[in-house]
Amino acid sequence: MLLPFLVATLSADDVPADTKLPCLAALRNLSTKLEHVWDVVSSGAVHALLSLVLDKTASEAALSILGELAATSAAGKKAMEEDEAAPRALLEAMTWHGSARCQEHATYLVMVLAHGSRALRRQMRQLGVVQALLEVSLLGSPLAQRRAAKVLQWFKEEGQSRIRAHSGPRMDGASCHDGGGGQDAKDCRDTVDKIVKQSLDRNMKSILRRATASVDLTNVKLLVASSSSKSLPC
């Protein structure tokens, strides 16, 4: 009877956060015991936890439990893959730079989803995962940066494979896989690398513009004012 009560409490919109936090603690205790993991997953806990990912009071605990379930249970991982809310919620949590732990947990779960399903990779790409991962790889905690870089590499390799396998209309005999075309294959790889690099460069410039736009210029203004108030030396 405990699990249904916990899941119902966590799913309720009218339950305050200070009531949900003890429920999350109890659910975490259950999820760390292998004999209870299947019961936790089958109770609908994954969806309830995903609904709390964007609640900044409960997000760290919810993400931590989701990480436990994904790491210890194929059923937990599958439940996350099948939940439509997962990709968008995790992508948003991944870019919260105010909480390193939330960012690290979310990036780990994005790794789990990206590794397990090509369809989810495609969905996350459409949601802007590449730019989000680039942002984390530049501005995140060291652990989140490493995880983001790993997932970015997967997307890069998948893009290269897709372009090599099907590069649009081709002239007869022109293929990256032709047996006698060593130079052609090299040229194809170089072209793919160039395309990927250009895309990453554009995204990085966009992220850096966003980061620098938020810099506080108060000290600069004070310095300018102070300098202008002094007389120039003769």
Side-chain angles (χ1 to χ4, degrees):
M1 294 297 293
L2 178 60
L3 270 171
F5 168 76
L6 294 176
V7 172
T9 303
L10 294 173
S11 302
D13 294 331
D14 57 347
V15 174
D18 58 354
T19 302
K20 290 186 177 183
L21 290 177
C23 292
L24 285 167
L27 190 61
R28 176 160 193 179
N29 288 336
L30 290 171
S31 67
T32 56
K33 296 178 172 59
L34 290 177
E35 63 268 25
H36 295 312
V37 168
W38 169 253
D39 293 330
V40 171
V41 173
S42 61
S43 70
V46 167
H47 184 74
L49 291 166
L50 285 168
S51 71
L52 295 173
V53 163
L54 300 182
D55 180 339
K56 294 195 176 182
T57 302
S59 59
E60 183 175 338
L63 287 164
S64 176
I65 298 168
L66 286 169
E68 292 277 356
L69 294 174
T72 59
S73 166
K77 180 172 173 288
K78 188 171 186 293
M80 272 176 260
E81 291 174 348
E82 293 177 348
D83 196 301
E84 294 180 355
R88 188 179 296 276
L90 294 176
L91 258 62
E92 187 168 337
M94 189 173 65
T95 56
W96 285 353
H97 298 293
S99 172
R101 294 295 293 164
C102 283
Q103 189 178 70
E104 289 163 4
H105 290 315
T107 308
Y108 169 74
L109 290 167
V110 168
M111 286 180 68
V112 170
L113 295 184
H115 185 264
S117 168
R118 177 172 293 182
L120 282 173
R121 287 196 296 274
R122 183 166 57 250
Q123 182 182 351
M124 288 191 289
R125 187 188 291 274
Q126 292 169 350
L127 290 172
V129 69
V130 172
Q131 183 156 337
L133 288 165
L134 281 167
E135 186 173 331
V136 174
S137 71
L138 290 171
L139 305 174
S141 69
L143 178 57
Q145 286 179 343
R146 289 196 298 273
R147 288 173 172 172
K150 188 174 186 66
V151 184
L152 277 172
Q153 185 63 32
W154 293 346
F155 276 97
K156 178 181 176 182
E157 290 171 355
E158 184 178 52
Q160 289 175 333
S161 174
R162 184 168 58 249
I163 293 172
R164 288 172 186 158
H166 179 68
S167 55
R170 292 179 293 176
M171 295 176 62
D172 290 342
S175 169
C176 293
H177 303 287
D178 285 349
Q183 184 60 41
D184 288 343
K186 181 179 183 302
D187 291 343
C188 184
R189 286 194 298 271
D190 291 344
T191 300
V192 170
D193 288 340
K194 183 178 179 181
I195 292 170
V196 173
K197 184 178 184 302
Q198 288 173 343
S199 176
L200 293 179
D201 287 345
R202 283 195 299 269
N203 282 324
M204 283 187 180
K205 287 176 182 177
S206 173
I207 291 166
L208 289 173
R209 280 197 300 270
R210 288 166 55 192
T212 55
S214 63
V215 174
D216 185 2
L217 298 178
T218 303
N219 291 335
V220 176
K221 292 178 181 177
L222 289 173
L223 179 60
V224 171
S226 174
S227 300
S228 61
S229 65
K230 297 177 182 178
S231 58
L232 294 173
C234 298

